[in-house]
Amino acid sequence: MENEFSEYKMHPDKKAPVLIVGGGISGLTAALFLLKHGITPLLIERHKSTSIHPRARGFDIRTMELYRELQLSEQIREAGRALAPAWGIHTNASLATALKNKKPRNREVKSPIATKGLEELAAQSPEVGARCTQDLSEPVLLAAAKQREAEILFNTELIAFERNDKCVIAIIRNRETGQEQTIHADYMIAADGAKSIIRETLQANTIGKGVLGSLLNIYFEADLADFVKGREFSILRIKDQEIKGFMTSINNTDRWVFHLYYDIAKGEKPEDFTDARITKILEKVVGLPEIKIRIISILPWQPTVKVVAEMQHGRIFLAGDAAHVMTPYGGKGANTGVQDVHNLAWKLAAVIHGKASPELLHTYNKEREPVGLHNAEQSGKMADEYGLLKKINWKIFGSFLLVMLVGVLKLKKLFPRLAMGKAGGLVGLPDYKYPTPICDEKMKTTPYAKTGLLNAEPGTRVPHIWVEYNHEKISTLDLLGKDFVLFTGTDNKVWKEATDNINNKMQIIIPIYSIGAKGNLVYNEKSIKEVFGIGETGAVLVRPDGFVAWRYKQQPLNHSDSLFKIFHAILFIRE
Ligand SMILES: Cc1cc2nc3c(=O)[nH]c(=O)nc-3n(C[C@H](O)[C@H](O)[C@H](O)COP(=O)(O)OP(=O)(O)OC[C@H]3O[C@@H](n4cnc5c(N)ncnc54)[C@H](O)[C@@H]3O)c2cc1C
């Protein structure tokens, strides 16, 4: 791709601070976070619309925290409302036999986080995960990005690019008119999915088990509303001599997906599966002769574990599936992409606005590569020899049982650390710790580091607590997203001077909030020491992405100078 490039003119038709390639979940979310930080990106998407296929069906807690930050969490939840009660996994010969003896429930089904025993885990976030298929979530993101004035070109693909020290030069083509344009972008985000051309062109090294199987993702219509009502499920694994696969619910009424395994070792190919043959298979899977089945679309795909060793290539950043392909088991694919671009957006904005050195951008790989690798590897462990979902993953099942038992027995001392360690990541709480928020340039990427607790330790997501602010109940997370923020004890006079000093010298505004019965964030439940690990004169500095950059347990001797130095270190500014 890069070789063809030299023929093209070097004068740009358009300039952009950031070019985003790919209008899937990762690309659209990147656009929204960049807009939030005052950067108007150019996003190109080769298809003429967002995904028409349901694909990812769920967002975890952390992703919903991020959509809350964009004021989109309720819209996403609403868009996916029909799927919300779809929980639980069955294994049976058909849907008919799986549900035959199941009595309809007479209570509302909630997500696993609402299970008895997990209350303290749920209390770590103002959000819960949400069900929403990609064909419904992407339009919500697109509408918001358009309304917030992102420049978005559909039907437009990247056909060549070159990078140098100053910019990325990209050739894009309108697939309808054939018209080509040259874009000069300060930075490019490769959000071009699992088959990323950008990743291939860069010849990025990858690690991981690779392809685990070959499946057809069959999206079909069957009116099963009455049959399923009250007995909604997430996944039905089919136990049959001839058919290997699993069915998933899409809207609990008339839309479903069946993932059908085919054996390439036996020479089977997607083309062998005619509509008539697939309809027969689906009829057997559903097992209700009176139900009419109509195939909507078929998407061949391969559950794969493949992760790039380096997410940054000069001015190009790989994100989402372009950086880490994982199986859908555990539901982390789209979530990891959303969380990548959240980590990247504030850093790009700080560098583009001249507030940080470009060295800050190296922390993107150091922080996100271990998370992508961990999530991909875990998803691979949930797959069986055909690349299908394993019957029971004892490690996960056992972890949940143990956490619930300890929760139900109210072993309060043991619970928080154990629950976060065993089940936090599964439900989507950020259970990891970034290597160090104050990164030294020479520091190597470290493996995924689990944190026992979200207790304001540097490198972890700042604790969520409900507080009263200006007579309103809000979460501490509601104060984050744009600026660095300083949470302090109630004795915070010196911190006001320190933040003013930074504002004067570096033109960086740092909102400051004191927490306590007499703080501007009114909080009486526990002491600030218990929740944030600081005394009344202490302070916790939080990055725009909600991760703790630094913590002063008590006021240091030279607080003003100290905070100033910390900022220089975080933003890699050398005097
Ligand atoms: C069957 C299935 C079920 C899944 N279930 C889940 C789940 O439950 N939870 C979960 O978190 N994840 C799930 N996933 C994974 C999830 O779909 C992906 O992780 C997610 O779509 C990744 O988003 P992305 O934006 O990184 O990539 P994509 O959604 O693949 O988007 C990439 C975009 O880039 C565009 N593009 C590519 N090349 C170019 C180019 N040259 N120029 C312009 N545009 C280009 C593509 O058209 C595409 O729209 C599932 C995946 C599959 C296949």
Side-chain angles (χ1 to χ4, degrees):
M1 198 187 205
E2 272 179 306
N3 291 344
E4 300 160 26
F5 188 80
S6 47
E7 297 166 22
Y8 292 93
K9 63 181 189 283
M10 297 305 286
H11 298 292
D13 298 303
K14 224 184 232 296
K15 284 188 176 183
V18 182
L19 171 65
I20 302 170
V21 181
I25 291 281
S26 307
L28 289 166
T29 308
L32 284 160
F33 282 119
L34 285 167
L35 287 162
K36 177 153 188 158
H37 290 288
I39 303 288
T40 304
L42 169 65
L43 183 150
I44 59 165
E45 164 54 52
R46 64 193 300 275
H47 287 117
K48 59 176 188 278
S49 71
T50 49
S51 178
I52 51 168
H53 211 278
R55 299 175 69 191
R57 298 186 304 149
F59 291 123
D60 69 14
I61 294 178
R62 181 60 184 153
T63 296
M64 291 308 283
E65 288 176 359
L66 304 187
Y67 287 142
R68 177 187 180 95
E69 194 179 300
L70 292 169
Q71 271 124 41
L72 293 174
S73 58
E74 278 318 306
Q75 280 187 55
I76 297 267
R77 207 180 299 285
E78 192 49 43
R81 190 159 297 281
L83 183 60
W87 292 101
I89 302 178
H90 302 302
T91 301
N92 219 303
S94 71
L95 180 67
T97 48
L99 300 191
K100 192 174 63 185
N101 297 324
K102 290 223 169 328
K103 286 212 174 78
R105 313 174 191 105
N106 49 13
R107 60 187 164 80
E108 196 192 342
V109 186
K110 294 198 178 136
S111 75
I113 194 77
T115 312
K116 203 166 167 41
L118 296 185
E119 297 86 351
E120 280 207 40
L121 208 50
Q124 307 272 336
S125 177
E127 281 291 339
V128 288
R131 293 299 216 179
C132 189
T133 51
Q134 242 168 285
D135 54 335
L136 300 178
S137 59
E138 288 181 6
V140 173
L141 303 176
L142 174 64
K146 278 186 176 164
Q147 197 237 337
R148 298 170 198 190
E149 296 185 357
E151 192 175 354
I152 301 182
L153 304 176
F154 276 93
N155 243 331
T156 304
E157 63 185 344
L158 176 77
I159 54 167
F161 67 91
E162 195 174 79
R163 64 199 158 106
N164 58 37
D165 290 350
K166 295 200 175 62
C167 70
V168 177
I169 306 164
I171 310 297
I172 64 171
R173 178 170 52 205
N174 182 307
R175 297 175 80 205
E176 227 167 41
T177 63
Q179 195 202 350
E180 291 181 5
Q181 291 189 73
T182 306
I183 311 293
H184 283 195
D186 293 336
Y187 297 96
M188 181 161 87
I189 300 179
D192 55 341
K195 293 188 179 139
S196 172
I197 289 292
I198 301 176
R199 182 186 65 221
E200 298 309 312
T201 307
L202 291 168
Q203 296 181 335
N205 287 335
T206 56
I207 35 184
K209 281 184 182 172
V211 173
L212 306 179
S214 296
L215 308 182
L216 294 180
N217 178 328
I218 305 156
Y219 185 25
F220 69 99
E221 189 180 81
D223 186 357
L224 295 166
D226 291 340
F227 186 67
V228 167
K229 195 165 174 42
R231 305 187 285 189
E232 292 85 358
F233 64 95
S234 175
I235 295 174
L236 166 66
R237 299 172 65 256
I238 291 297
K239 205 169 131 194
D240 184 272
Q241 289 293 338
E242 286 142 33
I243 305 168
K244 289 189 180 61
F246 61 94
M247 176 173 166
T248 61
S249 179
I250 297 303
N251 66 358
N252 288 321
T253 53
D254 63 348
R255 299 286 158 125
W256 313 89
V257 158
F258 189 68
H259 296 271
L260 175 68
Y261 171 80
Y262 63 96
D263 195 343
I264 46 170
K266 286 191 187 149
E268 286 181 330
K269 302 182 286 305
E271 308 83 89
D272 300 340
F273 292 83
T274 58
D275 281 7
R277 184 172 168 195
I278 287 182
T279 305
K280 274 219 161 71
I281 291 172
L282 295 179
E283 281 167 357
K284 195 168 175 201
V285 165
V286 171
L288 298 164
E290 69 281 12
I291 298 291
K292 234 176 113 358
I293 284 166
R294 181 178 76 85
I295 297 167
I296 301 170
S297 61
I298 301 170
L299 192 78
W301 71 289
Q302 295 182 306
T304 300
V305 175
K306 184 161 108 174
V307 181
V308 289
E310 179 62 58
M311 293 169 86
Q312 180 184 5
H313 294 254
R315 289 173 172 266
I316 303 172
F317 298 88
L318 300 165
D321 276 18
H324 34 64
V325 191
M326 54 191 84
T327 79
Y329 317 133
K332 291 287 183 212
N335 289 298
T336 314
V338 168
Q339 294 161 34
D340 286 343
V341 295
H342 183 250
N343 179 288
L344 180 60
W346 75 269
K347 295 174 182 172
L348 278 174
V351 173
I352 292 169
H353 290 315
K355 302 279 184 214
S357 152
E359 283 174 60
L360 173 66
L361 300 172
H362 300 330
T363 63
Y364 171 61
N365 182 67
K366 284 173 183 153
E367 294 178 348
R368 294 305 303 171
E369 191 273 343
V371 178
L373 181 61
H374 172 83
N375 290 349
E377 283 177 342
Q378 294 299 311
S379 81
K381 287 182 187 159
M382 293 183 214
D384 67 10
E385 68 268 39
Y386 306 107
L388 295 164
L389 178 66
K390 262 189 193 158
K391 187 169 180 196
I392 296 181
N393 187 320
W394 284 108
K395 201 169 161 227
I396 293 179
F397 192 57
S399 293
F400 262 111
L401 280 184
L402 181 65
V403 169
M404 280 157 61
L405 183 69
V406 173
V408 170
L409 293 177
K410 298 208 181 306
L411 302 176
K412 288 230 167 194
K413 278 227 159 96
L414 193 60
F415 184 82
R417 195 169 285 275
L418 180 102
M420 264 309 277
K422 297 274 181 203
L426 292 171
V427 297
L429 281 164
D431 67 342
Y432 48 82
K433 182 175 156 188
Y434 286 149
T436 163
I438 299 199
C439 255
D440 138 21
E441 175 47 14
K442 290 187 209 92
M443 203 189 70
K444 296 220 165 48
T445 307
T446 55
Y448 188 85
K450 268 204 178 191
T451 171
L453 285 174
L454 295 174
N455 61 358
E457 192 190 340
T460 59
R461 201 271 270 128
V462 73
H464 144 74
I465 48 172
W466 292 112
V467 292
E468 192 187 310
Y469 179 55
N470 290 339
H471 309 292
E472 251 184 74
K473 184 182 167 185
I474 62 161
S475 161
T476 35
L477 303 194
D478 294 334
L479 299 163
L480 308 170
K482 190 139 173 54
D483 302 305
F484 279 87
V485 163
L486 200 68
F487 290 113
T488 69
T490 41
D491 186 358
N492 72 355
K493 200 164 151 261
V494 297
W495 292 116
K496 285 189 180 140
E497 285 163 20
T499 51
D500 283 349
N501 182 32
I502 291 188
N503 192 4
N504 289 338
K505 290 190 179 149
M506 300 172 80
Q507 284 75 55
I508 293 176
I509 297 170
I510 308 162
I512 171 164
Y513 301 98
S514 58
I515 302 176
K518 295 206 167 119
N520 60 348
L521 301 181
V522 183
Y523 178 72
N524 294 309
E525 230 171 277
K526 291 180 187 167
S527 74
I528 188 150
K529 181 140 186 32
E530 263 179 281
V531 189
F532 280 72
I534 59 173
E536 290 305 325
T537 63
V540 171
L541 178 66
V542 185
R543 309 191 312 189
D545 63 356
F547 280 75
V548 175
W550 200 246
R551 175 168 66 174
Y552 295 94
K553 294 192 173 174
Q554 298 293 343
Q555 172 196 326
L557 269 182
N558 193 344
H559 48 274
S560 216
D561 225 29
S562 169
L563 196 63
F564 189 65
K565 281 194 184 127
I566 292 291
F567 258 89
H568 272 65
I570 295 171
L571 301 174
F572 291 88
I573 298 169
R574 316 226 189 277
E575 286 185 273

PDB file of all heavy atoms in Angstrom, residues 257-277:
ATOM      1  N   VAL A 257     -29.150 -14.809  15.921  1.00  0.00           N
ATOM      2  CA  VAL A 257     -27.952 -15.144  15.139  1.00  0.00           C
ATOM      3  C   VAL A 257     -27.584 -16.584  15.457  1.00  0.00           C
ATOM      4  O   VAL A 257     -27.669 -17.018  16.617  1.00  0.00           O
ATOM      5  CB  VAL A 257     -26.784 -14.178  15.483  1.00  0.00           C
ATOM      6  CG1 VAL A 257     -25.437 -14.803  15.128  1.00  0.00           C
ATOM      7  CG2 VAL A 257     -26.937 -12.844  14.736  1.00  0.00           C
ATOM      8  N   PHE A 258     -27.192 -17.318  14.416  1.00  0.00           N
ATOM      9  CA  PHE A 258     -26.630 -18.644  14.664  1.00  0.00           C
ATOM     10  C   PHE A 258     -25.203 -18.670  14.133  1.00  0.00           C
ATOM     11  O   PHE A 258     -24.947 -18.282  12.991  1.00  0.00           O
ATOM     12  CB  PHE A 258     -27.470 -19.752  13.998  1.00  0.00           C
ATOM     13  CG  PHE A 258     -27.012 -21.115  14.427  1.00  0.00           C
ATOM     14  CD1 PHE A 258     -27.194 -21.538  15.742  1.00  0.00           C
ATOM     15  CD2 PHE A 258     -26.363 -21.958  13.539  1.00  0.00           C
ATOM     16  CE1 PHE A 258     -26.736 -22.785  16.163  1.00  0.00           C
ATOM     17  CE2 PHE A 258     -25.909 -23.209  13.960  1.00  0.00           C
ATOM     18  CZ  PHE A 258     -26.100 -23.616  15.274  1.00  0.00           C
ATOM     19  N   HIS A 259     -24.273 -19.091  14.971  1.00  0.00           N
ATOM     20  CA  HIS A 259     -22.872 -19.231  14.566  1.00  0.00           C
ATOM     21  C   HIS A 259     -22.652 -20.696  14.220  1.00  0.00           C
ATOM     22  O   HIS A 259     -22.695 -21.555  15.114  1.00  0.00           O
ATOM     23  CB  HIS A 259     -21.934 -18.816  15.705  1.00  0.00           C
ATOM     24  CG  HIS A 259     -22.063 -17.371  16.069  1.00  0.00           C
ATOM     25  ND1 HIS A 259     -21.335 -16.378  15.465  1.00  0.00           N
ATOM     26  CD2 HIS A 259     -22.858 -16.748  16.963  1.00  0.00           C
ATOM     27  CE1 HIS A 259     -21.664 -15.209  15.981  1.00  0.00           C
ATOM     28  NE2 HIS A 259     -22.594 -15.403  16.890  1.00  0.00           N
ATOM     29  N   LEU A 260     -22.421 -20.959  12.958  1.00  0.00           N
ATOM     30  CA  LEU A 260     -22.293 -22.337  12.487  1.00  0.00           C
ATOM     31  C   LEU A 260     -20.833 -22.655  12.167  1.00  0.00           C
ATOM     32  O   LEU A 260     -20.186 -21.938  11.388  1.00  0.00           O
ATOM     33  CB  LEU A 260     -23.148 -22.506  11.215  1.00  0.00           C
ATOM     34  CG  LEU A 260     -23.055 -23.849  10.510  1.00  0.00           C
ATOM     35  CD1 LEU A 260     -23.669 -24.958  11.373  1.00  0.00           C
ATOM     36  CD2 LEU A 260     -23.774 -23.780   9.156  1.00  0.00           C
ATOM     37  N   TYR A 261     -20.334 -23.726  12.744  1.00  0.00           N
ATOM     38  CA  TYR A 261     -18.955 -24.148  12.473  1.00  0.00           C
ATOM     39  C   TYR A 261     -18.909 -24.899  11.146  1.00  0.00           C
ATOM     40  O   TYR A 261     -19.774 -25.707  10.847  1.00  0.00           O
ATOM     41  CB  TYR A 261     -18.479 -25.064  13.612  1.00  0.00           C
ATOM     42  CG  TYR A 261     -17.162 -25.739  13.334  1.00  0.00           C
ATOM     43  CD1 TYR A 261     -15.960 -25.064  13.511  1.00  0.00           C
ATOM     44  CD2 TYR A 261     -17.123 -27.054  12.869  1.00  0.00           C
ATOM     45  CE1 TYR A 261     -14.740 -25.676  13.242  1.00  0.00           C
ATOM     46  CE2 TYR A 261     -15.907 -27.680  12.604  1.00  0.00           C
ATOM     47  CZ  TYR A 261     -14.727 -26.988  12.791  1.00  0.00           C
ATOM     48  OH  TYR A 261     -13.536 -27.593  12.524  1.00  0.00           O
ATOM     49  N   TYR A 262     -17.889 -24.622  10.337  1.00  0.00           N
ATOM     50  CA  TYR A 262     -17.636 -25.466   9.161  1.00  0.00           C
ATOM     51  C   TYR A 262     -16.168 -25.865   9.160  1.00  0.00           C
ATOM     52  O   TYR A 262     -15.316 -25.150   9.714  1.00  0.00           O
ATOM     53  CB  TYR A 262     -18.070 -24.777   7.850  1.00  0.00           C
ATOM     54  CG  TYR A 262     -17.333 -23.510   7.519  1.00  0.00           C
ATOM     55  CD1 TYR A 262     -16.231 -23.526   6.658  1.00  0.00           C
ATOM     56  CD2 TYR A 262     -17.737 -22.285   8.040  1.00  0.00           C
ATOM     57  CE1 TYR A 262     -15.550 -22.354   6.349  1.00  0.00           C
ATOM     58  CE2 TYR A 262     -17.059 -21.117   7.743  1.00  0.00           C
ATOM     59  CZ  TYR A 262     -15.967 -21.148   6.898  1.00  0.00           C
ATOM     60  OH  TYR A 262     -15.293 -20.001   6.607  1.00  0.00           O
ATOM     61  N   ASP A 263     -15.911 -26.999   8.573  1.00  0.00           N
ATOM     62  CA  ASP A 263     -14.594 -27.613   8.742  1.00  0.00           C
ATOM     63  C   ASP A 263     -13.736 -27.393   7.504  1.00  0.00           C
ATOM     64  O   ASP A 263     -13.910 -28.076   6.489  1.00  0.00           O
ATOM     65  CB  ASP A 263     -14.818 -29.117   9.010  1.00  0.00           C
ATOM     66  CG  ASP A 263     -13.574 -29.771   9.554  1.00  0.00           C
ATOM     67  OD1 ASP A 263     -12.477 -29.173   9.416  1.00  0.00           O
ATOM     68  OD2 ASP A 263     -13.695 -30.866  10.132  1.00  0.00           O
ATOM     69  N   ILE A 264     -12.786 -26.476   7.597  1.00  0.00           N
ATOM     70  CA  ILE A 264     -11.958 -26.225   6.402  1.00  0.00           C
ATOM     71  C   ILE A 264     -11.002 -27.402   6.150  1.00  0.00           C
ATOM     72  O   ILE A 264     -10.610 -27.647   5.021  1.00  0.00           O
ATOM     73  CB  ILE A 264     -11.188 -24.884   6.454  1.00  0.00           C
ATOM     74  CG1 ILE A 264     -10.505 -24.661   7.798  1.00  0.00           C
ATOM     75  CG2 ILE A 264     -12.041 -23.702   6.116  1.00  0.00           C
ATOM     76  CD1 ILE A 264      -9.560 -23.474   7.773  1.00  0.00           C
ATOM     77  N   ALA A 265     -10.681 -28.151   7.206  1.00  0.00           N
ATOM     78  CA  ALA A 265      -9.798 -29.317   7.014  1.00  0.00           C
ATOM     79  C   ALA A 265     -10.475 -30.345   6.117  1.00  0.00           C
ATOM     80  O   ALA A 265      -9.814 -31.102   5.401  1.00  0.00           O
ATOM     81  CB  ALA A 265      -9.456 -29.926   8.363  1.00  0.00           C
ATOM     82  N   LYS A 266     -11.818 -30.358   6.139  1.00  0.00           N
ATOM     83  CA  LYS A 266     -12.562 -31.296   5.266  1.00  0.00           C
ATOM     84  C   LYS A 266     -12.883 -30.643   3.936  1.00  0.00           C
ATOM     85  O   LYS A 266     -13.705 -31.150   3.166  1.00  0.00           O
ATOM     86  CB  LYS A 266     -13.863 -31.709   5.953  1.00  0.00           C
ATOM     87  CG  LYS A 266     -13.663 -32.682   7.089  1.00  0.00           C
ATOM     88  CD  LYS A 266     -15.016 -33.237   7.504  1.00  0.00           C
ATOM     89  CE  LYS A 266     -14.899 -34.086   8.746  1.00  0.00           C
ATOM     90  NZ  LYS A 266     -16.116 -34.020   9.546  1.00  0.00           N
ATOM     91  N   GLY A 267     -12.332 -29.467   3.705  1.00  0.00           N
ATOM     92  CA  GLY A 267     -12.537 -28.778   2.421  1.00  0.00           C
ATOM     93  C   GLY A 267     -13.821 -27.971   2.373  1.00  0.00           C
ATOM     94  O   GLY A 267     -14.209 -27.485   1.301  1.00  0.00           O
ATOM     95  N   GLU A 268     -14.487 -27.799   3.505  1.00  0.00           N
ATOM     96  CA  GLU A 268     -15.742 -27.024   3.484  1.00  0.00           C
ATOM     97  C   GLU A 268     -15.448 -25.535   3.325  1.00  0.00           C
ATOM     98  O   GLU A 268     -14.457 -25.021   3.863  1.00  0.00           O
ATOM     99  CB  GLU A 268     -16.538 -27.261   4.772  1.00  0.00           C
ATOM    100  CG  GLU A 268     -17.180 -28.627   4.806  1.00  0.00           C
ATOM    101  CD  GLU A 268     -17.988 -28.881   6.073  1.00  0.00           C
ATOM    102  OE1 GLU A 268     -17.649 -28.319   7.129  1.00  0.00           O
ATOM    103  OE2 GLU A 268     -18.947 -29.660   5.994  1.00  0.00           O
ATOM    104  N   LYS A 269     -16.341 -24.854   2.576  1.00  0.00           N
ATOM    105  CA  LYS A 269     -16.172 -23.423   2.329  1.00  0.00           C
ATOM    106  C   LYS A 269     -17.514 -22.725   2.569  1.00  0.00           C
ATOM    107  O   LYS A 269     -18.575 -23.366   2.431  1.00  0.00           O
ATOM    108  CB  LYS A 269     -15.778 -23.153   0.859  1.00  0.00           C
ATOM    109  CG  LYS A 269     -14.516 -23.833   0.387  1.00  0.00           C
ATOM    110  CD  LYS A 269     -14.190 -23.483  -1.042  1.00  0.00           C
ATOM    111  CE  LYS A 269     -15.077 -24.133  -2.112  1.00  0.00           C
ATOM    112  NZ  LYS A 269     -15.188 -25.596  -2.106  1.00  0.00           N
ATOM    113  N   PRO A 270     -17.493 -21.405   2.849  1.00  0.00           N
ATOM    114  CA  PRO A 270     -18.766 -20.699   3.059  1.00  0.00           C
ATOM    115  C   PRO A 270     -19.731 -20.883   1.892  1.00  0.00           C
ATOM    116  O   PRO A 270     -20.935 -21.042   2.094  1.00  0.00           O
ATOM    117  CB  PRO A 270     -18.329 -19.230   3.183  1.00  0.00           C
ATOM    118  CG  PRO A 270     -16.928 -19.277   3.667  1.00  0.00           C
ATOM    119  CD  PRO A 270     -16.333 -20.528   3.088  1.00  0.00           C
ATOM    120  N   GLU A 271     -19.199 -20.915   0.644  1.00  0.00           N
ATOM    121  CA  GLU A 271     -20.071 -21.029  -0.537  1.00  0.00           C
ATOM    122  C   GLU A 271     -20.863 -22.344  -0.567  1.00  0.00           C
ATOM    123  O   GLU A 271     -21.887 -22.468  -1.240  1.00  0.00           O
ATOM    124  CB  GLU A 271     -19.273 -20.964  -1.855  1.00  0.00           C
ATOM    125  CG  GLU A 271     -18.343 -19.799  -2.008  1.00  0.00           C
ATOM    126  CD  GLU A 271     -16.989 -20.010  -1.320  1.00  0.00           C
ATOM    127  OE1 GLU A 271     -16.069 -20.552  -1.952  1.00  0.00           O
ATOM    128  OE2 GLU A 271     -16.888 -19.616  -0.136  1.00  0.00           O
ATOM    129  N   ASP A 272     -20.354 -23.363   0.177  1.00  0.00           N
ATOM    130  CA  ASP A 272     -21.066 -24.652   0.175  1.00  0.00           C
ATOM    131  C   ASP A 272     -22.411 -24.542   0.885  1.00  0.00           C
ATOM    132  O   ASP A 272     -23.275 -25.403   0.744  1.00  0.00           O
ATOM    133  CB  ASP A 272     -20.246 -25.725   0.919  1.00  0.00           C
ATOM    134  CG  ASP A 272     -18.893 -25.939   0.271  1.00  0.00           C
ATOM    135  OD1 ASP A 272     -18.759 -25.571  -0.910  1.00  0.00           O
ATOM    136  OD2 ASP A 272     -17.984 -26.442   0.950  1.00  0.00           O
ATOM    137  N   PHE A 273     -22.526 -23.500   1.686  1.00  0.00           N
ATOM    138  CA  PHE A 273     -23.742 -23.390   2.506  1.00  0.00           C
ATOM    139  C   PHE A 273     -24.768 -22.499   1.807  1.00  0.00           C
ATOM    140  O   PHE A 273     -24.785 -21.284   1.965  1.00  0.00           O
ATOM    141  CB  PHE A 273     -23.388 -22.878   3.910  1.00  0.00           C
ATOM    142  CG  PHE A 273     -22.591 -23.879   4.685  1.00  0.00           C
ATOM    143  CD1 PHE A 273     -21.210 -23.977   4.512  1.00  0.00           C
ATOM    144  CD2 PHE A 273     -23.224 -24.773   5.539  1.00  0.00           C
ATOM    145  CE1 PHE A 273     -20.479 -24.931   5.203  1.00  0.00           C
ATOM    146  CE2 PHE A 273     -22.494 -25.733   6.227  1.00  0.00           C
ATOM    147  CZ  PHE A 273     -21.110 -25.815   6.060  1.00  0.00           C
ATOM    148  N   THR A 274     -25.595 -23.142   0.997  1.00  0.00           N
ATOM    149  CA  THR A 274     -26.633 -22.410   0.271  1.00  0.00           C
ATOM    150  C   THR A 274     -27.710 -21.983   1.262  1.00  0.00           C
ATOM    151  O   THR A 274     -27.796 -22.534   2.371  1.00  0.00           O
ATOM    152  CB  THR A 274     -27.293 -23.331  -0.770  1.00  0.00           C
ATOM    153  OG1 THR A 274     -27.825 -24.457  -0.043  1.00  0.00           O
ATOM    154  CG2 THR A 274     -26.292 -23.808  -1.814  1.00  0.00           C
ATOM    155  N   ASP A 275     -28.542 -21.045   0.860  1.00  0.00           N
ATOM    156  CA  ASP A 275     -29.617 -20.592   1.743  1.00  0.00           C
ATOM    157  C   ASP A 275     -30.520 -21.768   2.138  1.00  0.00           C
ATOM    158  O   ASP A 275     -30.964 -21.879   3.286  1.00  0.00           O
ATOM    159  CB  ASP A 275     -30.442 -19.492   1.062  1.00  0.00           C
ATOM    160  CG  ASP A 275     -29.731 -18.146   1.149  1.00  0.00           C
ATOM    161  OD1 ASP A 275     -28.557 -18.119   1.606  1.00  0.00           O
ATOM    162  OD2 ASP A 275     -30.333 -17.122   0.771  1.00  0.00           O
ATOM    163  N   ALA A 276     -30.785 -22.648   1.169  1.00  0.00           N
ATOM    164  CA  ALA A 276     -31.687 -23.782   1.448  1.00  0.00           C
ATOM    165  C   ALA A 276     -31.067 -24.687   2.512  1.00  0.00           C
ATOM    166  O   ALA A 276     -31.744 -25.128   3.465  1.00  0.00           O
ATOM    167  CB  ALA A 276     -31.931 -24.560   0.164  1.00  0.00           C
ATOM    168  N   ARG A 277     -29.761 -24.938   2.386  1.00  0.00           N
ATOM    169  CA  ARG A 277     -29.085 -25.826   3.354  1.00  0.00           C
ATOM    170  C   ARG A 277     -29.073 -25.176   4.745  1.00  0.00           C
ATOM    171  O   ARG A 277     -29.330 -25.841   5.755  1.00  0.00           O
ATOM    172  CB  ARG A 277     -27.651 -26.069   2.855  1.00  0.00           C
ATOM    173  CG  ARG A 277     -26.888 -27.033   3.708  1.00  0.00           C
ATOM    174  CD  ARG A 277     -25.565 -27.388   3.059  1.00  0.00           C
ATOM    175  NE  ARG A 277     -24.710 -28.097   4.000  1.00  0.00           N
ATOM    176  CZ  ARG A 277     -23.413 -28.281   3.825  1.00  0.00           C
ATOM    177  NH1 ARG A 277     -22.820 -27.818   2.738  1.00  0.00           N
ATOM    178  NH2 ARG A 277     -22.699 -28.932   4.714  1.00  0.00           N
TER     179      ARG A 277
END
